[in-house]
Amino acid sequence: MQTGTMTERTSSGGGFSSIFDQGDIGCLLVHGFGDTAALMEPMAAYLKELGIGARSIDLPGHNSSLRDFAHISAQKLIATVEREYSEMKAHYRSVVVVGFSMGALLAIHLATLRDVEGLVTICAPVFPRGGLFGEKMLKYFARAGTKVGASIPKFGITSLSDKTLAAYLNGYKRYPARSILCLIQLMEVTRPVLKRVTAPLLVVHSQRDDVVWKESGRHIYHAVGSNEKRFIVLENSRHKAPIDRDRDILFEEVGRFCLSRVTA
């Protein structure tokens, strides 16, 4: 378990405050497209009970305004996650990066830039629902919408067994078409770099995911260069797995994986 000094800082991503506790193992939690750091807070709370220094961040353009969200870029998102990882590494001997949805794509890129001790992808969209055809259609409508400044309703159905968790769904309800083009670009640039990922890896897929391509998880699992990797399926969850029906299973798997990455 962790011991050490406590230092407080404020996230540059969106003003989300957290505490760094120096010790053996830290976990950087990265939310998805249009979400906020709050979505990952139940997982962060669970990990902290295990003695893991968990930190959930707000990405640029999120937890802000639709105007800011419309101007996000893949480069800035990736740079933000890399900076947050570097800051955590100054406090923890090992840092595991856990990314949900778009956050998983960012975590994958980080793993090609830095020697992360562990990587967890949750419902990562290497393609949107419908695979390559779905991506082409989404790009077509996003380009058309961008020309007229349109926005698109958020993706997927969120059905929570525990309605008290709805408070964690405080992200955007609509997406500027321009922001969707950024998401598509991020998917496109992620697929070719998967083979460069060599970090120990846990891939998590939701069986009932209605947002991402149904083979996304398996595609990641088979495409990466990691020797140590594991693939699990959440049978009863939709896309918002961190707060859905199988969240306890997810938390246990992520916690076990993080603790296994403590270096001597």
Side-chain angles (χ1 to χ4, degrees):
M1 296 297 177
Q2 301 168 213
T3 58
T5 60
M6 305 281 283
T7 57
E8 185 172 355
R9 67 180 292 276
T10 301
S11 167
S12 57
F16 190 83
S17 181
S18 72
I19 297 292
F20 278 146
D21 181 2
Q22 292 178 322
D24 289 331
I25 183 74
C27 181
L28 178 63
L29 300 165
V30 188
H31 64 74
F33 184 76
D35 296 318
T36 72
L39 185 73
M40 308 300 284
E41 273 304 293
M43 182 183 295
Y46 175 86
L47 295 175
K48 289 173 183 176
E49 289 182 357
L50 298 180
I52 299 168
R55 171 170 166 71
S56 178
I57 63 169
D58 276 321
L59 292 168
H62 295 71
N63 201 15
S64 178
S65 68
L66 288 180
R67 180 181 177 84
D68 291 341
F69 191 40
H71 291 85
I72 61 174
S73 70
Q75 294 78 10
K76 187 173 182 180
L77 292 169
I78 293 169
T80 296
V81 173
E82 184 176 14
R83 182 178 65 251
E84 295 288 348
Y85 172 81
S86 296
E87 294 191 10
M88 286 200 78
K89 276 295 288 182
H91 294 267
Y92 299 100
R93 190 175 304 168
S94 299
V95 175
V96 173
V97 184
V98 178
F100 162 68
S101 194
M102 181 189 74
L105 302 183
L106 301 175
I108 287 169
H109 279 275
L110 176 65
T112 70
L113 299 170
R114 304 291 295 272
D115 293 326
V116 302
E117 284 78 18
L119 172 64
V120 181
T121 67
I122 305 169
C123 303
V126 291
F127 284 106
R129 186 178 182 183
L132 181 59
F133 175 77
E135 182 178 273
K136 289 180 177 178
M137 293 299 295
L138 186 61
K139 183 185 290 187
Y140 172 82
F141 286 112
R143 282 176 171 169
T146 298
K147 292 179 181 178
V148 297
S151 61
I152 298 173
K154 72 175 185 177
F155 309 135
I157 298 171
T158 303
S159 57
L160 300 178
S161 58
D162 183 350
K163 302 303 181 183
T164 64
L165 295 173
Y168 297 105
L169 289 171
N170 61 351
Y172 300 124
K173 302 298 185 287
R174 299 185 66 84
Y175 306 139
R178 183 171 177 174
S179 68
I180 294 173
L181 289 177
C182 173
L183 175 60
I184 294 171
Q185 180 196 16
L186 191 54
M187 289 188 281
E188 290 174 335
V189 300
T190 299
R191 295 191 291 266
V193 305
L194 286 170
K195 59 181 179 292
R196 291 164 46 193
V197 175
T198 58
L201 174 67
L202 175 63
V203 179
V204 182
H205 170 73
S206 287
Q207 185 66 35
R208 301 174 63 205
D209 198 320
D210 55 352
V211 173
V212 309
W213 180 44
K214 63 180 181 180
E215 295 298 327
S216 279
R218 288 185 176 84
H219 181 90
I220 293 170
Y221 179 82
H222 291 295
V224 296
S226 305
N227 291 322
E228 184 180 343
K229 55 187 178 180
R230 186 162 173 250
F231 178 82
I232 65 171
V233 176
L234 302 176
E235 298 289 348
N236 303 302
S237 293
R238 292 184 183 271
H239 187 61
K240 300 290 189 185
I243 56 171
D244 213 333
R245 296 174 185 272
D246 298 314
R247 63 187 179 279
D248 290 341
I249 296 172
L250 174 62
F251 294 174
E252 289 173 7
E253 291 286 355
V254 172
R256 188 179 302 116
F257 179 80
C258 288
L259 292 175
S260 75
R261 306 321 312 159
V262 178
T263 58

